Amino acid sequence: MAQSISKRRIGRGLAVAAAIAVATTVTGMAAAHAADGPSAASTLHDDFNGDGYADLAVAAPSATVGGHKGAGYVAVLYGSANGLKTSTRQVFSQNTAGVPGSAETGDAFGSALTTADLDRDGYADLVVGAGREDTADGGVDSGLVEVLWGGQKGLSGGAAPATGKAYDQLGGQGRLTVGDVNGDGAEDLVTVEMQHDLRVLNGPFARDGSTSHGGQLVKDEFDSRVLDLAAGDVNGDGVTDVAATENDGDEYDARRVVYWTGSRQGLTPYTTVKGGNGYRLQGGENLDIGDVDQDGVDDIVVGRAVDGYDSDLDIPLAKGGRVTLIPGTPEGPDGAGATFLNQDSPGVPGGAEWGDGFGTDVRIADVNGDGYPDVATGLPGEDLGGVTGAGAVVVLRGSAQGLTGAGAQVVTQDTPNVPGAAERGDAFGAAVHLADANHDGLADLAAGAPGENENAGSVWYFTSGPSTVVSPNGTTTFGNTLLGTSATDARLGSGFSG
């Protein structure tokens, strides 16, 4: 299927964006499994070794590395015909050979992750943010963006294409994406300066991280805070756009959704999405972009997990968190036509309760192979049978009418065939991911539980079936023991690439 994919983490340039798989391969994709060449990676933007299977990168930005608390690491597992392989795993930190810098206290290596073929060699590369890095040029918390280069044997080496200024926190959580925003066919790297100005580095990139193709700084006239970025074609013109969730400073009553349209000259000034009442549509903390209704124009899906603010009084379905679908149109995202879902919506499992965190993370891909992308979202605050904050993941179905609660499924650690047991504070679903690691045309679900085992954190990966999110004998789970990393407050599973 041309567009049944998430477009958050790909080069989304020109008309080819409709055919690329970001976080997942899709039904109808050509079977390219050659291990001796990078042909598959040109269409699979999280295939680091070019074998045709989607790979998984997961972050532990608060982990201790070399005795340095909060230095952070990123673990990578590679896909295969049988799904993710725990035997072919890698762990990267700033103490890894070839990775710029060195592990230091509080660097938060892995605070943001995205994937793209930045050097155009046919292999996907992993872009890693270290949002708390202190740099010689920038100063305290200037932040650093690094690239780990893909190749036939997987990820290796690295470069640092971007550093920030003091307190920029460049590459911080949610502030990193990729897309061909000027329509020249090369992936561009987009991050955030001053927590609200978009910084674009135009690709392609050399192996030292440099680019001779210039860049762009798109300034925000207000003291906004970008909470999350995603890229996709939200007006159907064939050039990648960028969307963000924002608020005013730390004011969660002032959340909004904005987008910058791409053009041959780069990104244009942002537009605020407005609701049916003519006022700005209340947004959330995170978002993803994909064509949920398969009408040829990408939609924006927003997760609003933080509740309990005064603005909730005017927000439908805000209790316990909500997910919003904003349909894309040739005129741009249509906030007046938005669809809102929470756990009290028909078909959605469970019931809305304050603090559930429904919408904590949202990812888009076709889980059941019907041609319509679905939406996975986390509820890390969900209580299960009296167990507080055990957490859950809900998969909402896509359709020609957009997003629906009908047929939604829930996954927890109490679900049959899921290893482990729901425990207090596990926060299962604090991060979610969708990708087709076994190349069967169905996007598989990964879920992080950073609170597992007293904040050591763990990851679950589930092989999807046509009618179920969790296939029997199709689950892989791993943590710090497998990775050989420090477990103390590592919070593995805090975020995924994609």
Side-chain angles (χ1 to χ4, degrees), residues 106-205:
D107 281 350
F109 182 81
S111 53
L113 300 174
T114 190
T115 59
D117 183 6
L118 293 182
D119 59 355
R120 303 183 78 175
D121 67 349
Y123 296 96
D125 308 309
L126 178 63
V127 187
V128 183
R132 295 284 185 176
E133 176 85 12
D134 299 341
T135 64
D137 294 335
V140 177
D141 284 353
S142 54
L144 182 68
V145 175
E146 304 192 46
V147 181
L148 308 179
W149 301 110
Q152 186 174 350
K153 296 182 179 180
L155 294 170
S156 63
T163 60
K165 301 174 184 178
Y167 305 108
D168 270 358
Q169 298 181 25
L170 199 77
Q173 182 179 6
R175 296 168 181 163
L176 191 61
T177 192
V178 288
D180 182 11
V181 301
N182 60 6
D184 66 354
E187 306 277 17
D188 306 313
L189 178 61
V190 184
T191 185
V192 181
E193 284 190 2
M194 301 296 293
Q195 302 188 51
H196 51 68
D197 298 337
L198 290 196
R199 180 177 173 185
V200 182
L201 299 178
N202 296 128
F205 292 79

Side-chain angles (χ1 to χ4, degrees), residues 71-98:
Y73 71 80
V74 176
V76 177
L77 272 68
Y78 289 85
S80 73
N82 297 316
L84 290 183
K85 296 186 295 183
T86 57
S87 60
T88 53
R89 60 188 181 274
Q90 293 178 290
V91 176
F92 294 93
S93 73
Q94 288 185 293
N95 280 353
T96 302

Side-chain angles (χ1 to χ4, degrees), residues 182-415:
N182 60 6
D184 66 354
E187 306 277 17
D188 306 313
L189 178 61
V190 184
T191 185
V192 181
E193 284 190 2
M194 301 296 293
Q195 302 188 51
H196 51 68
D197 298 337
L198 290 196
R199 180 177 173 185
V200 182
L201 299 178
N202 296 128
F205 292 79
R207 277 286 176 127
D208 63 0
S210 64
T211 176
S212 59
H213 300 274
Q216 182 183 13
L217 184 64
V218 188
K219 292 192 174 184
D220 188 326
E221 59 186 312
F222 302 108
D223 186 26
S224 305
R225 296 291 183 272
V226 170
L227 304 177
D228 198 13
L229 288 177
D233 188 1
V234 298
N235 59 6
D237 67 354
V239 181
T240 304
D241 314 306
V242 174
T245 50
E246 293 186 341
N247 63 2
D248 293 336
D250 296 324
E251 179 53 69
Y252 277 85
D253 280 325
R255 287 170 283 195
R256 59 183 171 272
V257 180
V258 301
Y259 64 95
W260 299 259
T261 55
S263 72
R264 297 295 178 176
Q265 291 73 43
L267 294 177
T268 62
Y270 75 82
T271 300
T272 301
V273 177
K274 295 183 179 180
N277 61 3
Y279 294 96
R280 66 186 183 189
L281 184 72
Q282 279 277 334
E285 297 77 51
N286 66 92
L287 78 168
D288 200 3
I289 295 178
D291 189 4
V292 174
D293 57 6
Q294 287 292 275
D295 66 351
V297 184
D298 287 341
D299 312 308
I300 300 174
V301 176
V302 179
R304 178 193 178 99
V306 178
D307 57 15
Y309 284 80
D310 290 343
S311 62
D312 292 355
L313 299 174
D314 302 317
I315 301 301
L317 307 181
K319 182 179 180 180
R322 75 172 185 183
V323 170
T324 302
L325 174 79
I326 304 171
T329 75
E331 290 73 41
D334 177 19
T339 300
F340 307 98
L341 296 172
N342 79 343
Q343 281 191 286
D344 284 342
S345 299
V348 179
E353 299 169 314
W354 295 112
D356 281 349
F358 184 82
T360 290
D361 195 6
V362 289
R363 297 296 178 98
I364 304 172
D366 185 2
V367 173
N368 61 357
D370 66 354
Y372 293 97
D374 309 303
V375 174
T377 188
L379 300 86
E382 181 84 347
D383 300 341
L384 299 175
V387 180
T388 304
V393 175
V394 169
V395 177
L396 305 168
R397 297 302 184 188
S399 70
Q401 290 73 44
L403 197 60
T404 176
Q409 295 186 25
V410 64
V411 180
T412 74
Q413 287 190 73
D414 285 346
T415 299

Side-chain angles (χ1 to χ4, degrees), residues 21 23-34 40 44 46-47 49 51-56 77-85 88 365-369 433-446 461-466 468-476:
T24 178
T25 57
V26 292
T27 304
M29 176 179 286
H33 293 269
L44 227 178
D46 44 10
D47 181 8
N49 59 2
D51 64 356
Y53 300 99
D55 307 316
L56 179 72
L77 272 68
Y78 289 85
S80 73
N82 297 316
L84 290 183
K85 296 186 295 183
T88 53
D366 185 2
V367 173
N368 61 357
H433 181 70
L434 292 173
D436 187 4
N438 61 358
H439 202 111
D440 66 352
L442 308 179
D444 306 314
L445 171 68
Y461 158 82
F462 308 100
T463 301
S464 298
T468 180
V469 178
V470 180
S471 295
N473 304 315
T475 302
T476 298

